[in-house]
Protein backbone atom coordinates (compact mmCIF):
# COMPACT_ATOMS: atom_id res chain seq x y z
CA UNK A 1 0.00 0.00 0.00
CA UNK A 2 1.10 3.54 -0.56
CA UNK A 3 2.37 5.77 2.20
CA UNK A 4 0.50 8.81 3.44
CA UNK A 5 1.17 11.92 1.41
CA UNK A 6 2.58 10.20 -1.65
CA UNK A 7 -0.34 11.42 -3.76
CA UNK A 8 -2.53 9.62 -6.23
CA UNK A 9 -0.58 6.71 -7.60
CA UNK A 10 0.24 5.72 -11.13
CA UNK A 11 -2.27 3.53 -12.95
CA UNK A 12 -1.64 0.37 -14.92
CA UNK A 13 -5.00 -1.40 -15.32
CA UNK A 14 -8.66 -0.51 -15.73
CA UNK A 15 -11.66 -2.79 -15.33
CA UNK A 16 -15.04 -2.27 -17.02
CA UNK A 17 -18.13 -4.42 -17.62
CA UNK A 18 -20.22 -4.54 -20.79
CA UNK A 19 -23.74 -3.11 -21.12
CA UNK A 20 -26.49 -5.79 -21.07
CA UNK A 21 -29.82 -5.52 -22.84
CA UNK A 22 -31.55 -5.69 -19.44
CA UNK A 23 -30.09 -2.28 -18.53
CA UNK A 24 -31.47 -0.78 -21.72
CA UNK A 25 -34.88 -2.22 -20.87
CA UNK A 26 -34.91 -0.32 -17.58
CA UNK A 27 -34.63 -3.40 -15.38
CA UNK A 28 -32.63 -3.67 -12.19
CA UNK A 29 -32.32 -2.39 -8.67
CA UNK A 30 -33.64 1.08 -9.44
CA UNK A 31 -37.35 0.53 -9.97
CA UNK A 32 -38.67 2.84 -12.62
CA UNK A 33 -35.41 3.27 -14.50
CA UNK A 34 -36.05 4.77 -17.92
CA UNK A 35 -35.50 2.63 -20.99
CA UNK A 36 -32.21 3.39 -22.72
CA UNK A 37 -31.05 3.49 -26.29
CA UNK A 38 -28.97 0.30 -26.11
CA UNK A 39 -26.83 1.08 -29.15
CA UNK A 40 -26.00 4.56 -27.86
CA UNK A 41 -25.21 3.29 -24.37
CA UNK A 42 -22.92 0.62 -25.81
CA UNK A 43 -21.18 3.19 -28.01
CA UNK A 44 -20.54 5.45 -25.03
CA UNK A 45 -19.20 2.49 -23.08
CA UNK A 46 -16.99 1.44 -25.99
CA UNK A 47 -15.53 4.92 -26.34
CA UNK A 48 -14.77 4.99 -22.60
CA UNK A 49 -12.91 1.69 -22.89
CA UNK A 50 -11.03 2.95 -25.92
CA UNK A 51 -9.93 6.12 -24.15
CA UNK A 52 -8.73 4.16 -21.12
CA UNK A 53 -6.73 1.78 -23.32
CA UNK A 54 -5.47 3.95 -26.16
CA UNK A 55 -5.37 7.49 -24.79
CA UNK A 56 -4.34 6.70 -21.24
CA UNK A 57 -2.30 3.59 -22.03
CA UNK A 58 -3.94 1.37 -19.44
CA UNK A 59 -4.30 -2.38 -19.74
CA UNK A 60 -8.04 -2.77 -20.14
CA UNK A 61 -9.89 -5.76 -18.74
CA UNK A 62 -13.55 -6.03 -19.76
CA UNK A 63 -15.99 -8.30 -18.00
CA UNK A 64 -18.78 -9.56 -20.26
CA UNK A 65 -22.30 -8.16 -19.78
CA UNK A 66 -24.62 -10.26 -17.63
CA UNK A 67 -28.35 -10.02 -18.23
CA UNK A 68 -29.03 -10.96 -14.60
CA UNK A 69 -27.01 -7.90 -13.52
CA UNK A 70 -28.60 -4.96 -15.34
CA UNK A 71 -26.60 -2.43 -13.29
CA UNK A 72 -23.40 -4.45 -13.66
CA UNK A 73 -21.71 -1.74 -15.80
CA UNK A 74 -21.71 0.47 -12.69
CA UNK A 75 -18.90 -1.61 -11.25
CA UNK A 76 -17.27 1.39 -9.56
CA UNK A 77 -19.73 0.70 -6.75
CA UNK A 78 -18.39 -2.80 -6.14
CA UNK A 79 -14.85 -2.18 -4.83
CA UNK A 80 -12.57 0.39 -3.22
CA UNK A 81 -9.00 -0.06 -4.41
CA UNK A 82 -5.83 1.50 -3.04
CA UNK A 83 -2.40 0.07 -3.69
CA UNK A 84 -2.52 -3.71 -3.66
CA UNK A 85 -5.70 -3.89 -1.55
CA UNK A 86 -9.26 -4.15 -2.83
CA UNK A 87 -12.15 -3.79 -0.39
CA UNK A 88 -15.16 -5.56 -1.87
CA UNK A 89 -18.20 -3.46 -1.04
CA UNK A 90 -21.68 -4.36 0.18
CA UNK A 91 -24.10 -2.35 -1.99
CA UNK A 92 -27.13 -0.84 -0.33
CA UNK A 93 -29.48 -2.58 -2.76
CA UNK A 94 -29.63 -6.37 -2.16
CA UNK A 95 -30.35 -6.81 -5.88
CA UNK A 96 -26.92 -5.39 -6.68
CA UNK A 97 -24.86 -7.50 -4.29
CA UNK A 98 -24.24 -10.34 -6.78
CA UNK A 99 -22.37 -7.79 -8.94
CA UNK A 100 -19.35 -8.06 -6.66
CA UNK A 101 -18.67 -11.72 -7.51
CA UNK A 102 -17.19 -11.21 -10.96
CA UNK A 103 -15.28 -8.15 -9.82
CA UNK A 104 -13.81 -10.02 -6.88
CA UNK A 105 -12.54 -12.79 -9.15
CA UNK A 106 -11.04 -10.35 -11.64
CA UNK A 107 -9.19 -8.49 -8.90
CA UNK A 108 -8.01 -11.74 -7.34
CA UNK A 109 -6.66 -12.82 -10.73
CA UNK A 110 -4.70 -9.55 -10.86
CA UNK A 111 -3.06 -10.43 -7.57
CA UNK A 112 -4.73 -7.89 -5.31
CA UNK A 113 -5.31 -8.57 -1.63
CA UNK A 114 -9.06 -8.96 -1.20
CA UNK A 115 -10.89 -7.71 1.88
CA UNK A 116 -14.52 -8.74 2.37
CA UNK A 117 -17.29 -7.10 4.38
CA UNK A 118 -18.74 -9.68 6.73
CA UNK A 119 -21.01 -7.37 8.72
CA UNK A 120 -24.59 -7.61 7.47
CA UNK A 121 -25.37 -4.23 9.04
CA UNK A 122 -22.87 -2.46 6.77
CA UNK A 123 -23.72 -0.86 3.45
CA UNK A 124 -21.07 0.62 1.21
CA UNK A 125 -21.10 1.79 -2.41
CA UNK A 126 -17.68 2.45 -3.91
CA UNK A 127 -18.73 5.75 -5.46
CA UNK A 128 -19.33 7.12 -1.96
CA UNK A 129 -15.57 6.85 -1.33
CA UNK A 130 -13.23 9.61 -2.51
CA UNK A 131 -9.47 9.05 -2.20
CA UNK A 132 -7.46 12.26 -2.49
CA UNK A 133 -4.01 10.69 -2.51
CA UNK A 134 -3.59 11.67 1.13
CA UNK A 135 -6.80 10.54 2.80
CA UNK A 136 -10.23 9.02 2.28
CA UNK A 137 -13.56 10.76 2.53
CA UNK A 138 -16.60 8.48 2.81
CA UNK A 139 -20.01 9.90 2.02
CA UNK A 140 -22.77 8.95 4.44
CA UNK A 141 -25.64 8.73 2.01
CA UNK A 142 -28.70 6.71 1.14
CA UNK A 143 -26.23 4.11 -0.11
CA UNK A 144 -23.50 4.04 2.55
CA UNK A 145 -23.81 3.96 6.34
CA UNK A 146 -21.49 4.54 9.30
CA UNK A 147 -20.58 0.86 9.58
CA UNK A 148 -19.52 0.81 5.95
CA UNK A 149 -17.31 3.84 6.57
CA UNK A 150 -15.77 2.17 9.63
CA UNK A 151 -14.79 -0.80 7.49
CA UNK A 152 -13.06 1.52 5.01
CA UNK A 153 -11.06 2.93 7.94
CA UNK A 154 -10.25 -0.56 9.23
CA UNK A 155 -9.07 -1.66 5.77
CA UNK A 156 -6.89 1.32 4.89
CA UNK A 157 -5.22 2.05 8.21
CA UNK A 158 -2.31 3.98 6.67
CA UNK A 159 -4.68 6.80 5.75
CA UNK A 160 -7.02 9.10 7.61
CA UNK A 161 -10.68 8.33 6.87
CA UNK A 162 -13.36 10.96 7.46
CA UNK A 163 -17.11 10.81 6.94
CA UNK A 164 -19.05 13.43 5.01
CA UNK A 165 -22.85 13.76 5.15
CA UNK A 166 -24.40 13.57 1.68
CA UNK A 167 -27.91 14.91 1.19
CA UNK A 168 -30.24 13.91 -1.60
CA UNK A 169 -30.01 10.92 -3.94
CA UNK A 170 -26.35 11.33 -4.96
CA UNK A 171 -23.21 9.47 -3.99
CA UNK A 172 -20.29 11.57 -2.75
CA UNK A 173 -18.44 11.23 -6.05
CA UNK A 174 -21.57 12.38 -7.85
CA UNK A 175 -20.98 15.74 -6.18
CA UNK A 176 -17.21 16.15 -6.05
CA UNK A 177 -13.96 14.61 -7.24
CA UNK A 178 -10.25 15.22 -7.64
CA UNK A 179 -9.33 17.55 -10.50
CA UNK A 180 -5.62 17.21 -9.74
CA UNK A 181 -3.33 16.00 -6.94
CA UNK A 182 -4.32 18.92 -4.69
CA UNK A 183 -7.52 20.20 -6.29
CA UNK A 184 -11.07 19.26 -5.37
CA UNK A 185 -13.73 19.95 -7.99
CA UNK A 186 -17.35 20.18 -6.93
CA UNK A 187 -20.74 20.97 -8.35
CA UNK A 188 -22.58 24.16 -7.49
CA UNK A 189 -25.64 22.59 -5.81
CA UNK A 190 -26.27 23.02 -2.10
CA UNK A 191 -25.53 19.32 -1.54
CA UNK A 192 -22.16 19.53 -3.33
CA UNK A 193 -21.10 22.72 -1.59
CA UNK A 194 -22.07 21.35 1.82
CA UNK A 195 -19.97 18.26 1.15
CA UNK A 196 -16.94 20.34 0.15
CA UNK A 197 -17.25 22.56 3.22
CA UNK A 198 -17.43 19.48 5.43
CA UNK A 199 -14.30 18.06 3.80
CA UNK A 200 -12.44 21.35 4.33
CA UNK A 201 -13.22 21.26 8.04
CA UNK A 202 -12.15 17.64 8.42
CA UNK A 203 -8.84 17.68 6.55
CA UNK A 204 -5.37 18.68 7.65
CA UNK A 205 -4.29 19.14 4.02
CA UNK A 206 -4.82 22.33 2.01
CA UNK A 207 -6.73 21.57 -1.19
CA UNK A 208 -7.50 24.09 -3.88
CA UNK A 209 -11.11 24.02 -5.03
CA UNK A 210 -12.93 24.60 -8.30
CA UNK A 211 -16.70 24.91 -8.52
CA UNK A 212 -18.42 23.65 -11.66
CA UNK A 213 -21.94 24.59 -12.79
CA UNK A 214 -22.99 20.92 -13.00
CA UNK A 215 -22.65 18.43 -10.15
CA UNK A 216 -22.22 15.57 -12.64
CA UNK A 217 -19.18 17.29 -14.17
CA UNK A 218 -17.36 16.92 -10.85
CA UNK A 219 -17.66 13.15 -11.18
CA UNK A 220 -14.30 12.87 -12.93
CA UNK A 221 -11.18 10.74 -12.66
CA UNK A 222 -7.68 12.13 -12.11
CA UNK A 223 -5.24 9.52 -13.40
CA UNK A 224 -1.46 9.25 -13.56
CA UNK A 225 -0.49 6.83 -16.36
CA UNK A 226 2.23 4.36 -15.64
CA UNK A 227 4.34 5.53 -18.58
CA UNK A 228 7.29 7.73 -17.53
CA UNK A 229 7.22 11.32 -18.69
CA UNK A 230 3.48 11.28 -19.51
CA UNK A 231 1.56 14.06 -17.73
CA UNK A 232 -1.53 13.23 -15.64
CA UNK A 233 -4.96 13.03 -17.27
CA UNK A 234 -8.38 14.12 -16.16
CA UNK A 235 -11.09 11.89 -17.59
CA UNK A 236 -14.22 14.03 -17.56
CA UNK A 237 -17.66 14.42 -19.09
CA UNK A 238 -17.39 15.91 -22.57
CA UNK A 239 -18.60 15.18 -26.08
CA UNK A 240 -21.54 17.53 -25.70
CA UNK A 241 -22.35 16.48 -22.12
CA UNK A 242 -22.68 19.29 -19.58
CA UNK A 243 -21.47 22.14 -21.84
CA UNK A 244 -21.77 24.75 -19.08
CA UNK A 245 -18.93 23.09 -17.15
CA UNK A 246 -16.45 22.73 -20.01
CA UNK A 247 -15.06 26.26 -19.76
CA UNK A 248 -14.50 25.92 -16.02
CA UNK A 249 -12.59 22.67 -16.49
CA UNK A 250 -10.14 24.48 -18.76
CA UNK A 251 -8.82 26.21 -15.63
CA UNK A 252 -7.20 22.92 -14.61
CA UNK A 253 -3.94 23.66 -16.39
CA UNK A 254 -1.78 20.90 -14.90
CA UNK A 255 -3.69 18.01 -16.47
CA UNK A 256 -4.49 16.78 -19.94
CA UNK A 257 -8.26 16.83 -20.33
CA UNK A 258 -9.75 13.67 -21.86
CA UNK A 259 -13.48 14.04 -22.56
CA UNK A 260 -15.95 11.16 -22.74
CA UNK A 261 -19.74 11.05 -22.87
CA UNK A 262 -22.08 9.03 -20.69
CA UNK A 263 -25.34 10.93 -21.17
CA UNK A 264 -27.27 7.78 -22.10
CA UNK A 265 -25.78 5.66 -19.35
CA UNK A 266 -26.51 8.48 -16.91
CA UNK A 267 -30.21 7.67 -17.30
CA UNK A 268 -29.52 4.46 -15.36
CA UNK A 269 -27.74 6.37 -12.61
CA UNK A 270 -24.23 6.00 -14.02
CA UNK A 271 -21.65 8.64 -13.21
CA UNK A 272 -18.27 8.57 -14.89
CA UNK A 273 -16.48 7.15 -11.85
CA UNK A 274 -19.03 4.34 -11.54
CA UNK A 275 -18.22 2.96 -15.00
CA UNK A 276 -14.68 1.74 -14.33
CA UNK A 277 -12.28 0.59 -11.66
CA UNK A 278 -8.72 1.82 -11.99
CA UNK A 279 -5.80 0.13 -10.24
CA UNK A 280 -3.59 2.84 -8.85
CA UNK A 281 -0.44 0.75 -8.59
CA UNK A 282 0.83 -2.19 -10.57
CA UNK A 283 -0.51 -5.31 -8.85
CA UNK A 284 1.63 -8.28 -7.96
CA UNK A 285 1.66 -10.99 -10.61
Amino acid sequence: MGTPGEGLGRCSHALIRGVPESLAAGEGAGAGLPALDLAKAQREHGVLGGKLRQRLGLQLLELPPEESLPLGPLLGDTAVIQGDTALITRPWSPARRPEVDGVRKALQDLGLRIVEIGDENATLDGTDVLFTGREFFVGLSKWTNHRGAEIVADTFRDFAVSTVPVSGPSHLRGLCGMGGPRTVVAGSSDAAQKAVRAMAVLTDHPYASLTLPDDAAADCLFLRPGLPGVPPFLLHRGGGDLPNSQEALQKLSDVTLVPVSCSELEKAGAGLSSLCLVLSTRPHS
Side-chain angles (χ1 to χ4, degrees), residues 87-194:
L87 171 61
I88 304 302
T89 66
R90 190 170 186 270
W92 170 82
S93 169
R96 296 197 61 193
R97 290 175 190 162
E99 295 173 22
V100 306
D101 296 335
V103 173
R104 178 193 298 109
K105 183 179 186 307
L107 297 177
Q108 283 177 329
D109 290 346
L110 284 169
L112 271 71
R113 182 175 74 92
I114 302 298
V115 177
E116 304 277 0
I117 294 179
D119 190 336
E120 293 186 356
N121 294 316
T123 61
L124 177 66
D125 272 13
T127 48
D128 267 322
V129 182
L130 176 64
F131 180 60
T132 72
R134 294 163 178 78
E135 61 194 314
F136 286 92
F137 292 102
V138 182
L140 299 180
S141 68
K142 170 184 176 180
W143 320 99
T144 296
N145 63 15
H146 277 282
R147 184 63 189 123
E150 289 173 351
I151 293 172
V152 175
D154 289 342
T155 302
F156 302 105
R157 293 178 177 271
D158 286 346
F159 297 92
V161 178
S162 302
T163 57
V164 178
V166 176
S167 57
S170 294
H171 293 83
L172 179 61
R173 282 198 278 165
L175 302 173
C176 56
M178 297 304 294
R182 296 176 179 84
T183 301
V184 175
V185 295
S188 58
S189 72
D190 288 343
Q193 291 299 304
K194 286 178 182 177

Side-chain angles (χ1 to χ4, degrees), residues 210 212-213 236 242-252 257:
L210 176 65
L212 304 175
H236 69 94
L242 313 174
N244 292 335
S245 292
Q246 300 310 306
E247 183 176 353
L249 285 167
Q250 299 296 325
K251 298 176 182 178
L252 298 171
L257 297 175

Side-chain angles (χ1 to χ4, degrees), residues 44-55:
E44 288 178 348
H45 196 262
V47 170
L48 170 63
K51 292 285 181 74
L52 290 167
R53 182 178 60 250
Q54 298 168 7
R55 187 74 176 88

